[in-house]
Amino acid sequence: MELLADMVANRVADRLANQRRLLTRPELAEVINVSIPKLDTMIRDDEIPVIRVGRKVLFDPHAVIQHLATQA
């Protein structure tokens, strides 16, 4: 199972290699293939790294994927 998680993380990281921008909640939910309510739960439970700019919540996709890969 861990090998599969690593393979998925590497594939997603490769797809995002040329994108160095921050993502919104809907964009990140699509990238990591979870629903927005599930993403909100992950944010609330501090399961993923978050960047807060005022009231806006943004994500560095590389940091999120790396964090999820180490947690799997």
Side-chain angles (χ1 to χ4, degrees):
M1 188 61 114
E2 188 173 321
L3 178 61
L4 178 61
D6 288 342
M7 290 172 53
V8 170
N10 288 338
R11 184 168 178 173
V12 171
D14 289 343
R15 289 178 65 189
L16 295 173
N18 294 328
Q19 297 179 3
R20 291 303 295 180
R21 68 180 190 94
L22 299 178
L23 302 180
T24 62
R25 286 172 45 248
E27 291 170 333
L28 182 67
E30 184 177 326
V31 168
I32 63 174
N33 198 28
V34 298
S35 66
I36 292 177
K38 173 62 178 168
L39 182 62
D40 290 339
T41 301
M42 295 170 77
I43 294 167
R44 185 188 69 227
D45 295 342
D46 293 326
E47 294 178 19
I48 57 174
V50 178
I51 300 168
R52 296 188 188 272
V53 180
R55 294 179 55 186
K56 192 167 200 136
V57 178
L58 300 171
F59 307 90
D60 177 353
H62 300 285
V64 171
I65 292 167
Q66 184 178 25
H67 182 78
L68 292 174
T70 60
Q71 299 298 315

